[in-house]
Amino acid sequence: MTTYANPDVLVETDWVKANLGKPGIKIVEVDVDTQAYDAGHIPGAIGFNWQTQLQDQIVRDIIGKEDFEKLVGGAGISPQDTVILYGDNNNWFAAYAFWLFKLYGHRDVRLMNGGRQKWLNEPDKEMTTEKPNPQPVPYVAQPPDPSLRAFVSEVLEVARMRHKNLVDVRSPDEFTGKVIAPPGMTETAQRGGHIPGAKNVPWNTAVNPDGTFKSADELRRIYLEQQAIDPAKETIVYCRIGERSSHTWFVLKYLLGLQNVKNYDGSWTEYGNLIAAPIER
Amino acid sequence: MNHQTRVYNSIFEMLPGEENPSPLVRINRMNPSPDFVLYAKLEWLNPFGSVKDRAAWEMLRDLEERGELGNGRGVVEPTSGNTGISLAAMSRARGYHMRAVVPNRVPLEKKVLLKIAGADLDVVSDELCPAPGAGGEGSINLAKTYAKAQRHRYALPNQYENEMNVRAHYRTTGPEIWRQTEGRITHLFVSLGTCGTVTGTSKFLRAKKPDIKVIAVQPSEGHDVPGLRNVSQLGVSKLFDPSLIDEILEIDYKLAYRRAMELFQNEGLRAGPSSGLIYEGARRIIERDKTGVGVMIFPDDIFKYTANMVRHIPSLAEGLHA
């Protein structure tokens, strides 16, 4: 049995328990359901709100470098710290935050395997409502790493040239245009379907029933053999708003070790609103 | 307590049991076979309005007996509404606070009722995307979080895993039906949600009459019938025991609404959509089996689903405004 290409980016719940409160280790929860952190979280964990803290509040974009520095430094995290991210829905937004940390050049950031659900269901793991009161520290981020993020111009080129792997991680119903978004979602698009040439590999293909990632062998079989994603080519992953795709981006880039994997965070809510963009159903 | 004069010292004395069963009412105009006697068990006539009074009471009493409630400790429960309404009313009447965690798709009427009953309400956007371990379980996970992180404030009955949910039906629903049909029951028709009803009731009835047929109905996938679960969603309930069920029928969920309306218009039964679905299952089995004595457990009435009814039967929206 082979191991993940970068096993260091993943920690188990037992590891987190054993390292709670240790200097240099900072735990951050990021959830889809923003009420979850307030109801209870891992002792000492900071909570980031993806809607209000990880997004620019005026322009549709991720937070800028300065806001990232303010947010992360304000949470008492220094560039040398090990950041452990976890969250609900199998780490969707935790993976999104992971992508953001990497984009701004944070060296040591990891996901807690299984996310909040695994911690919650393990009897020996504590949760609290007590919020930490971190001392702000100076944080200088790197300029955003362009090798991790795809913009629409590149995606349109791929739709035309088909020279890169394009992976759509939404549900089959979203991929075929039967629905434009999962029920109840407010962020939506004018048109349903997918980007021409994209392969549909729903994000949850990568996880076990308990929310942990599948083994390296299984992941390799699914993505490289069954789905025939060509590791020699560059890869772009997308979903609806860029959080589920962060999850698969993490799998392809860090667990399978593919070179040049980008997250297209504009995703379907950008592409599906473009005038004259080619769409397949 | 006097069930003859119906004078009670508290609402809790009205809870159903062998001595005070919920009514069985015979289906007449909508029964497809003259040789089949079909009854509906009207659970909405329980004091808090649904079949969930039984499980809620059993779970609450169990927590009380184990000293888990009081001194600032109340309950938190993931619910599609009815269990929450029963638990909220019971808890508040006994002096405990109650928090209900409901999926967003729960009808507005139920959310408002929960607040009127005194529950603190959390609404969770479940059903984002199929997710092993996470899909549609946001409300269960959030309720578990409260119970874990705020143990001093919350006990979690958790109807999806609590054996008391089964015991309630083994202790009350089963014996009631046995006595009400004088042991003549041949078919039991139920829906599947937490599976407490089907597991508890059929365990009791099967012990009395091993060849009884237990038929469960399921809404089709992607359904909009609150409280029920499709087979694909049943993994969440630890109380599901397929060995007790003879047949599971999957029925187009839209028929639940249509049949509910027909039951009101033809039988005078103000049945909710899950009852409509159960009736449709019973109707199909009766057309096949022709003879027998059947009991359908009708979980609740239509009052909490008027907005859903309008959504699924658009003609109801016509002529509502001057």
Side-chain angles (χ1 to χ4, degrees):
Chain A
M1 184 155 153
T2 51
T3 56
Y4 298 128
N6 298 281
D8 293 350
V9 293
L10 210 52
V11 292
E12 300 302 321
T13 49
D14 286 340
W15 185 95
V16 174
K17 187 188 172 194
N19 285 280
L20 283 182
K22 289 206 175 149
I25 292 176
K26 302 291 159 66
I27 302 170
V28 181
E29 173 165 339
V30 194
D31 298 311
V32 175
D33 173 8
T34 49
Q35 341 162 59
Y37 175 82
D38 288 338
H41 48 262
I42 296 178
I46 299 277
F48 285 168
N49 183 312
W50 73 270
Q51 287 166 317
T52 59
Q53 292 179 296
L54 302 185
Q55 309 279 319
D56 189 283
Q57 294 301 292
I58 297 169
V59 177
R60 184 182 169 197
D61 203 352
I62 56 172
I63 47 170
K65 180 170 171 290
E66 269 180 38
D67 284 338
F68 183 81
E69 289 169 340
K70 250 185 255 168
L71 174 71
V72 175
I77 298 170
S78 76
Q80 294 75 38
D81 284 338
T82 297
V83 174
I84 309 298
L85 290 158
Y86 76 100
D88 63 1
N89 275 55
N90 295 80
N91 281 332
W92 284 6
F93 274 102
Y96 180 86
F98 181 101
W99 171 71
L100 207 58
F101 270 91
K102 283 294 179 195
L103 198 75
Y104 284 120
H106 194 92
R107 193 182 44 80
D108 189 1
V109 52
R110 311 175 189 193
L111 277 186
M112 183 175 86
N113 202 7
R116 156 182 248 283
Q117 155 132 338
K118 185 152 190 285
W119 184 275
L120 178 65
N121 285 305
E122 291 176 343
D124 65 323
K125 308 294 190 293
E126 292 295 318
M127 291 181 106
T128 181
T129 52
E130 215 169 291
K131 292 181 185 173
N133 195 12
Q135 288 300 309
V137 296
Y139 189 99
V140 179
Q142 303 302 310
D145 180 347
S147 74
L148 304 183
R149 191 183 194 196
F151 289 94
V152 70
S153 51
E154 183 179 356
V155 171
L156 283 166
E157 190 185 273
V158 175
R160 201 173 58 247
M161 313 268 294
R162 314 275 175 111
H163 58 307
K164 296 177 185 175
N165 303 306
L166 202 49
V167 183
D168 183 325
V169 310
R170 297 174 301 160
S171 61
D173 280 354
E174 291 170 276
F175 183 78
T176 56
K178 189 177 165 195
V179 298
I180 287 180
M185 293 295 99
T186 48
E187 311 92 349
T188 181
Q190 292 296 314
R191 290 288 186 268
H194 59 266
I195 302 171
K199 289 191 163 120
N200 186 210
V201 194
W203 71 275
N204 60 353
T205 313
V207 295
N208 294 310
D210 70 351
T212 55
F213 288 105
K214 286 180 179 162
S215 70
D217 288 337
E218 283 176 282
L219 293 175
R220 196 164 289 118
R221 194 162 51 245
I222 293 164
Y223 288 93
L224 305 185
E225 292 169 26
Q226 290 167 7
Q227 300 295 333
I229 292 171
D230 182 354
K233 287 183 184 172
E234 292 182 27
T235 303
I236 294 173
V237 289
Y238 74 94
C239 61
R240 187 177 53 92
I241 54 172
E243 89 293 26
R244 284 176 284 178
S245 54
S246 303
H247 189 273
T248 299
W249 169 84
F250 177 86
V251 169
L252 297 179
K253 183 167 177 67
Y254 291 95
L255 301 186
L256 289 180
L258 264 60
Q259 301 298 307
N260 295 316
V261 189
K262 286 179 177 172
N263 183 26
Y264 170 39
D265 59 308
S267 278
W268 196 255
T269 49
E270 179 176 45
Y271 194 94
N273 282 315
L274 293 176
I275 298 288
I279 289 177
E280 271 179 6
R281 285 196 173 194
Chain B
M1 174 162 65
N2 184 335
H3 292 309
Q4 292 300 312
T5 59
R6 295 186 66 85
V7 176
Y8 300 99
N9 288 314
S10 90
I11 190 75
F12 297 106
E13 292 182 355
M14 279 182 66
L15 283 159
E18 223 179 329
E19 299 307 316
N20 181 37
S22 61
L24 278 197
V25 176
R26 191 164 170 179
I27 300 297
N28 296 299
R29 298 176 64 192
M30 288 174 70
N31 183 348
S33 168
D35 300 321
F36 200 106
V37 179
L38 180 64
Y39 291 104
K41 191 162 174 61
L42 308 189
E43 291 294 305
W44 61 76
L45 290 172
N46 292 332
F48 305 100
S50 80
V51 66
K52 293 298 191 176
D53 282 10
R54 299 176 190 266
W57 181 238
E58 201 82 13
M59 295 190 297
L60 199 72
R61 289 289 300 139
D62 176 58
L63 287 171
E64 280 184 339
E65 278 162 21
R66 290 191 286 117
E68 296 275 344
L69 297 174
N71 294 323
R73 197 164 189 243
V75 298
V76 60
E77 181 71 359
T79 167
S80 63
N82 281 331
T83 305
I85 291 164
S86 299
L87 269 178
M90 290 174 188
S91 299
R92 294 297 297 257
R94 290 174 95 78
Y96 320 123
H97 60 89
M98 194 269 167
R99 178 174 288 275
V101 186
V102 304
N104 193 34
R105 286 184 77 178
V106 163
L108 181 72
E109 294 97 320
K110 282 186 173 174
K111 292 178 189 162
V112 176
L113 267 172
L114 280 163
K115 292 178 82 168
I116 294 172
D120 298 313
L121 187 68
D122 280 305
V123 180
V124 175
S125 56
D126 267 345
E127 295 171 324
L128 284 161
C129 194
E137 291 176 42
S139 52
I140 297 176
N141 283 339
L142 188 59
K144 281 184 177 174
T145 301
Y146 278 110
K148 188 162 191 166
Q150 303 177 52
R151 210 163 282 150
H152 61 292
R153 276 193 47 80
Y154 295 108
L156 174 69
N158 197 356
Q159 55 178 330
Y160 296 98
E161 298 179 10
N162 193 330
E163 272 297 321
M164 294 301 126
N165 183 356
V166 173
R167 196 175 81 174
H169 296 283
Y170 187 84
R171 199 176 59 74
T172 65
T173 321
E176 285 173 34
I177 292 173
W178 187 249
R179 192 192 239 191
Q180 286 172 308
T181 62
E182 296 166 324
R184 290 180 302 125
I185 180 170
T186 58
H187 293 66
L188 177 71
F189 300 103
V190 290
S191 52
L192 302 178
T194 64
C195 298
T197 306
V198 64
T199 303
T201 310
S202 45
K203 234 179 214 168
F204 180 89
L205 292 175
R206 270 209 196 286
K208 292 280 187 193
K209 195 176 202 173
D211 62 347
I212 189 171
K213 284 185 186 162
V214 177
I215 291 116
V217 299
Q218 299 262 349
S220 48
E221 217 168 329
H223 70 88
D224 184 23
V225 186
L228 299 198
R229 285 179 180 266
N230 180 274
V231 180
S232 63
Q233 304 167 306
L234 271 180
V236 78
S237 178
K238 300 218 170 20
L239 309 178
F240 178 51
D241 179 355
S243 73
L244 292 166
I245 302 171
D246 295 286
E247 288 178 64
I248 296 182
L249 305 182
E250 183 170 299
I251 293 168
D252 177 2
Y253 73 85
K254 290 197 173 131
L255 272 176
Y257 290 91
R258 178 66 55 190
R259 296 289 181 250
M261 191 168 78
E262 290 167 4
L263 282 162
F264 210 160
Q265 294 179 356
N266 295 290
E267 299 285 345
L269 298 176
R270 55 172 201 258
S274 54
S275 305
L277 200 76
I278 293 167
Y279 164 76
E280 175 60 19
R283 193 188 64 74
R284 291 180 190 185
I285 295 294
I286 293 169
E287 286 195 333
R288 184 192 71 191
D289 290 0
K290 304 287 193 242
T291 62
V293 176
V295 173
M296 305 179 284
I297 299 178
F298 275 9
D300 66 355
D301 66 21
I302 197 67
F303 293 163
K304 291 164 237 164
Y305 305 96
T306 53
N308 283 36
M309 284 294 278
V310 169
R311 192 157 61 242
H312 295 293
I313 306 178
S315 62
L316 289 173
E318 292 166 11
L320 293 181
H321 303 286

